[in-house]
Amino acid sequence: MSKPFEERVFRDPVHKYVTVQHPLIWKLIGTREMQRLRRIRQLGTGYVTFHGAEHSRFAHALGTYEITRQLVSRFGREDDGHWSREDDLISMCAALLHDVGHAPFSHSIESVFGEQHEHRSVRMITEYSEIERVLHDVDPALPSLVARVLQKTHPKRIVSSLISSQLDADRMDYLLRDAYMTGVSYGAFDLERMLRVIRPFEGRIVVTHSGKHAAEHYLLARYQMHWQVYFHPVTRSAEFVLRSIFLRAQHLWQQSYRFAHVPKGLHALFSGSMDNESFFRLDDAIVQAAFDAWRDERDPVLADLCRRFLDRHLLDYEWMQAYDEQHVQWRRDQVAKAGYDPSYYVHIDAPMDWSYAMNDDARGDSPLYVWTPEGALHEMSTQSAIVRAIQGEQRGALRLYAPRL
Ligand code: NI
């Protein structure tokens, strides 16, 4: 007889404790693919603006798991027939593993190489990996069941909604964590209250009527974090430099340029042969070590971009109230005259976000519903003037990025 599993805890700045009560969760945390997330920053280039934003995707994965654990333990008690005990473990596994397919600086890598983290997470769970082996050992059906939660094809939509919807454990954790680590207070909302007012109801996640204002606060936190933190112009500038580094390196690779140094993971990225093993070898440190080596490359564009990124000599930006073709062309000419290739040095950013969508959006996220004492469901924006004001597509002013000349 094996010993009963002893509860384990992690100290966490946001949740105080992350509690592990199931041996499967403990084993998954110990896999090398999960440990890799310790080496990837949650906010990518966010640390160039907010120096506290050094937290890892590992911390966020544990936090998302913890919120899910707390939610499902309440669902169990208030089972309305749409939530079963078997759903608990699958939800917790999916929460823990939901970001395992993130590359370092994944937004830039995704935009240049088309490597989608959602797709990679599914591969890391269902194809050869330690995660796949651990899940398979418990039940051969488990890897694909967990993957289906992330793909939103799990037979119970509510299970996917817990991890990915307009009110989910993923968002609740990253808003609180990113706010805490960046040192801003916009992202703060009352998590404890939220956990008390979220219910499973007829196959979806709803908020009780008394929790309406807590939900309002959560949606506002999301709105504020996007405009004040995630779309910060300096963070975006670093992202554009990064994107240009990858674009230039890919271009050189296609020209059979001989790099002094290309790490294994980037090799696979450039040649389009990314298997799980090569992907596993990509993290922030590897990428930054390559950039440091590329400071000395013979190619002046690659060397300059890498120096800019590492030394934080990013691109300057100016606001444009509307797109002005003439002005953009003038700026491109100026940059070219100074000896820079505008295709790597001039960028236009058009930040856009949906803080809340009252209709089903393209990703199949259902709106948020408030559950009245009479048992009726009302879509959130019909219950709150504040939510009505931020619902739908929000666009910020355009920014034109170029080097200081
Ligand atoms: Ni996440």
Side-chain angles (χ1 to χ4, degrees):
M1 264 251 316
S2 58
K3 273 197 301 183
F5 181 74
E6 209 175 297
E7 181 173 294
R8 311 289 221 289
V9 291
F10 292 82
R11 295 301 293 253
D12 183 84
V14 175
H15 306 298
K16 291 199 175 78
Y17 288 100
V18 172
T19 306
V20 179
Q21 297 161 322
H22 199 289
L24 174 59
I25 298 297
W26 183 250
K27 278 189 195 149
L28 286 173
I29 293 171
T31 59
R32 59 180 203 151
E33 293 86 12
M34 275 300 298
Q35 292 298 315
R36 168 183 168 272
L37 296 183
R38 290 184 188 269
R39 306 193 296 273
I40 298 187
R41 289 188 191 90
Q42 170 72 8
L43 283 186
T45 58
Y47 70 96
V48 305
T49 312
F50 301 97
H51 61 252
E54 293 283 347
H55 54 303
S56 69
R57 293 205 178 270
F58 180 80
H60 164 63
L62 286 191
T64 306
Y65 152 79
E66 176 60 22
I67 291 178
T68 304
R69 186 189 69 79
Q70 292 188 30
L71 276 173
V72 299
S73 68
R74 287 171 194 272
F75 285 6
R77 286 207 303 276
E78 294 146 6
D79 200 340
D80 70 341
H82 292 276
W83 190 268
S84 71
R85 276 286 165 211
E86 298 85 76
D87 297 330
D88 283 6
L89 190 61
I90 293 191
S91 306
M92 290 191 290
C93 290
L96 183 69
L97 300 172
H98 80 283
D99 277 342
V100 81
H102 265 289
F105 307 109
S106 52
H107 294 302
S108 310
I109 285 197
E110 282 177 15
S111 70
V112 176
F113 301 97
E115 167 80 34
Q116 296 294 321
H117 70 265
E118 294 92 350
H119 181 62
R120 178 60 64 178
S121 293
V122 168
R123 286 186 64 180
M124 297 288 262
I125 293 166
T126 57
E127 294 178 13
Y128 179 80
S129 68
E130 287 189 7
I131 291 172
E132 195 276 337
R133 223 172 310 151
V134 166
L135 292 171
H136 190 275
D137 279 352
V138 173
D139 175 356
L142 206 46
S144 77
L145 271 174
V146 173
R148 287 176 73 183
V149 178
L150 305 187
Q151 290 169 307
K152 300 194 181 183
T153 56
H154 189 276
K156 285 190 187 172
R157 186 172 165 177
I158 191 170
V159 179
S160 297
S161 304
L162 257 187
I163 321 294
S164 175
S165 67
Q166 300 206 65
L167 176 61
D168 64 21
D170 176 30
R171 284 184 192 182
M172 285 196 274
D173 183 76
Y174 75 64
L175 291 174
L176 291 173
R177 192 170 300 281
D178 296 344
Y180 180 88
M181 298 306 289
T182 51
V184 306
S185 46
Y186 314 111
F189 59 91
D190 193 343
L191 175 65
E192 233 179 278
R193 178 90 183 118
M194 286 302 285
L195 293 173
R196 286 174 188 279
V197 300
I198 293 173
R199 297 274 189 287
F201 181 76
E202 295 183 348
R204 64 172 101 223
I205 307 278
V206 301
V207 170
T208 61
H209 192 257
S210 62
K212 191 180 85 176
H213 293 107
E216 223 170 36
H217 195 181
Y218 155 82
L219 291 171
L220 270 179
R222 181 163 193 276
Y223 170 83
Q224 291 278 3
M225 284 298 281
H226 270 88
W227 294 102
Q228 306 275 358
V229 175
Y230 303 136
F231 293 151
H232 194 284
V234 176
T235 304
R236 297 288 278 183
S237 179
E239 238 170 73
F240 284 122
V241 174
L242 199 59
R243 209 176 290 183
S244 289
I245 293 175
F246 286 126
L247 275 173
R248 184 63 182 176
Q250 186 191 39
H251 169 79
L252 293 172
W253 178 271
Q254 285 161 354
Q255 309 295 308
S256 306
Y257 174 89
R258 289 176 69 88
F259 290 85
H261 169 70
V262 180
K264 190 179 155 86
L266 287 181
H267 209 283
L269 198 59
F270 293 157
S271 56
S273 58
M274 184 68 91
D275 52 14
N276 279 357
E277 187 57 31
S278 312
F279 186 82
F280 170 71
R281 298 293 293 274
L282 268 181
D283 62 35
D284 285 12
I286 295 282
V287 167
Q288 282 174 299
F291 292 175
D292 184 62
W294 293 349
R295 280 174 186 264
D296 302 324
E297 277 294 348
R298 280 168 295 119
D299 180 68
V301 177
L302 186 63
D304 178 66
L305 289 168
C306 287
R307 277 183 220 126
R308 282 177 183 275
F309 184 76
L310 293 175
D311 303 340
R312 201 181 176 278
H313 291 147
L314 305 169
L315 303 173
D316 283 2
Y317 64 92
E318 57 182 293
W319 303 98
M320 281 194 300
Q321 277 318 310
Y323 185 76
D324 180 345
E325 176 65 38
Q326 245 182 342
H327 179 70
V328 173
Q329 194 50 51
W330 173 79
R331 178 64 75 197
R332 290 174 69 88
D333 292 345
Q334 242 197 347
V335 165
K337 247 183 254 165
Y340 296 106
D341 180 344
S343 58
Y344 297 112
Y345 287 89
V346 178
H347 297 276
I348 290 153
D349 192 13
M352 190 272 283
D353 179 47
W354 290 75
S355 293
Y356 175 69
M358 58 188 271
N359 301 310
D360 282 1
D361 73 9
R363 293 167 304 160
D365 285 351
S366 99
L368 197 53
Y369 286 94
V370 177
W371 186 29
T372 66
E374 299 77 42
L377 289 184
H378 295 291
E379 187 274 313
M380 184 72 190
S381 70
T382 65
Q383 304 293 299
S384 159
I386 292 174
V387 173
R388 250 192 323 278
I390 60 163
Q391 85 81 28
E393 190 182 271
Q394 312 276 329
R395 283 183 182 278
L398 298 174
R399 301 153 185 167
L400 175 61
Y401 288 88
R404 185 173 300 164
L405 300 176

